[in-house]
Amino acid sequence: MSSSIDILVVGSVAFDSVETPFGKVEDVLGGSAIYFSVAASFFSKVGIVAVVGEDFPSLYLEFLKEKNIDIGGLKKVKGSTFRWKGKYGFDLNEALTLDTRLNVFQDFRPEIPERYRDAEYVFLANIDPELQLRVLDQVENPKLVALDTMNFWIEGKPDKLKEAVARVDIFVINEAEAREFMQEPNLVKAAKKILSLGPKTLIVKRGEYGALMFHGDSVFSAPAYPLEFIYDPTGAGDSFAGGFMGYLANTRNAEDGVIRQAMIFGSVMASFNVEDFSLNRMKYLTYPEIERRFREFKKLCTFEDIT
Ligand code: AMP
């Protein structure tokens, strides 16, 4: 029997309070699984496994359903939803975490519903690496597994994180966190060390400088779209991963050329997401707009060979 979804995502669902030089929002919809699945939903059918508290409004669940996201694995339990508070200065590449309240995630033990277990694509979004490992034990022979993380887990559970990274195909991480994880200031050296842990591919997210993909001896660089108006970089990394995995799951092809296109779709989704706070831009984004920006990316980085 084939799965009812293309991509299984396990990650955080959050109330975020965010301050940037352009404004401030409190307790808005966020979380790694949410940004990922909304971005991926433009390309593929996603199923979320996560937990929320009693305070999570049905309005947000309706929004996810409108995006055709399967929320059968999103549990509502007694307690408060995960909360993250962060701040950005004029350098929007670096988020300063002011507060992290795991709340219902503290006792969460993900149980993957039977009908999600044979999903061909699995994304382990930023969450406790012990939970990521638990998910890996439950999925049945996926075609491609990717994993994301952040400094909170690099510093808190480095060994469990290394164990999880060793078991995935693609590892996605921020530039500063890649250096921190490997205790190596040179990015290329840090990338080599990460690949030696086990994953075939490493994607390093570099904020407004785009993303680099390391695979064997090859490196591919995707630019970030030069936007005049950026309001909130929160979720850019997860939206990147959503566009990237969503496109790969849609094409069911992992040839080098397709993975490169997926990197650009990832950059496209991240570029839309930062145009407003929370998921506000995603609410009215259309597929033709995505395709148009993909073509603008092509113009941005095409050049002739020397003769
Ligand atoms: P990013 O794509 O890296 O900007 O991720 C932003 C999202 O990560 C926010 O919406 C937060 O709710 C979520 N987040 C922040 N800290 C954590 C954490 N320790 N574990 C899981 N998710 C987190």
Side-chain angles (χ1 to χ4, degrees), residues 23-24 63 69 85 101 123 180 185 188 210 218 229 232 239 242 246 260 266 282 298 302:
K24 195 174 168 176
F63 167 61
I69 296 166
K85 195 172 182 179
R101 298 199 176 203
F123 187 65
E180 182 185 359
V188 178
S218 98
F229 299 101
D232 177 15
S239 305
R260 287 174 184 230
M282 294 301 184
K298 188 163 164 55
T302 301

Side-chain angles (χ1 to χ4, degrees), residues 11-16 18 28-35 82-85 88 95 97 99-100 102 105 125-128 148-153 174 177 205 233-240 273:
S12 58
V13 175
F15 285 138
D16 287 344
V18 179
V28 293
L29 178 63
S32 55
I34 296 293
Y35 280 111
F82 172 84
R83 275 173 167 75
W84 178 73
K85 195 172 182 179
Y88 300 83
T97 293
D99 196 19
T100 302
L102 293 179
F105 266 103
N126 176 22
I127 199 175
D128 186 336
D148 191 1
T149 194
M150 73 180 294
N151 51 3
F152 189 82
W153 305 114
N174 283 349
E177 289 161 355
K205 298 173 288 180
T234 311
D238 302 307
S239 305
F240 173 92
N273 184 66

Side-chain angles (χ1 to χ4, degrees), residues 202-247:
L202 168 70
I203 296 176
V204 179
K205 298 173 288 180
R206 305 179 66 226
E208 65 181 313
Y209 306 112
L212 285 175
M213 177 172 64
F214 295 86
H215 178 93
D217 289 332
S218 98
V219 186
F220 174 65
S221 169
Y225 192 70
L227 288 168
E228 191 174 350
F229 299 101
I230 300 179
Y231 287 95
D232 177 15
T234 311
D238 302 307
S239 305
F240 173 92
F244 175 81
M245 288 280 280
Y247 184 69

Side-chain angles (χ1 to χ4, degrees), residues 122-142:
V122 175
F123 187 65
L124 303 168
N126 176 22
I127 199 175
D128 186 336
E130 290 199 55
L131 303 188
Q132 294 176 321
L133 282 165
R134 209 183 146 94
V135 174
L136 287 172
D137 289 338
Q138 293 175 62
V139 291
E140 291 160 8
N141 208 14

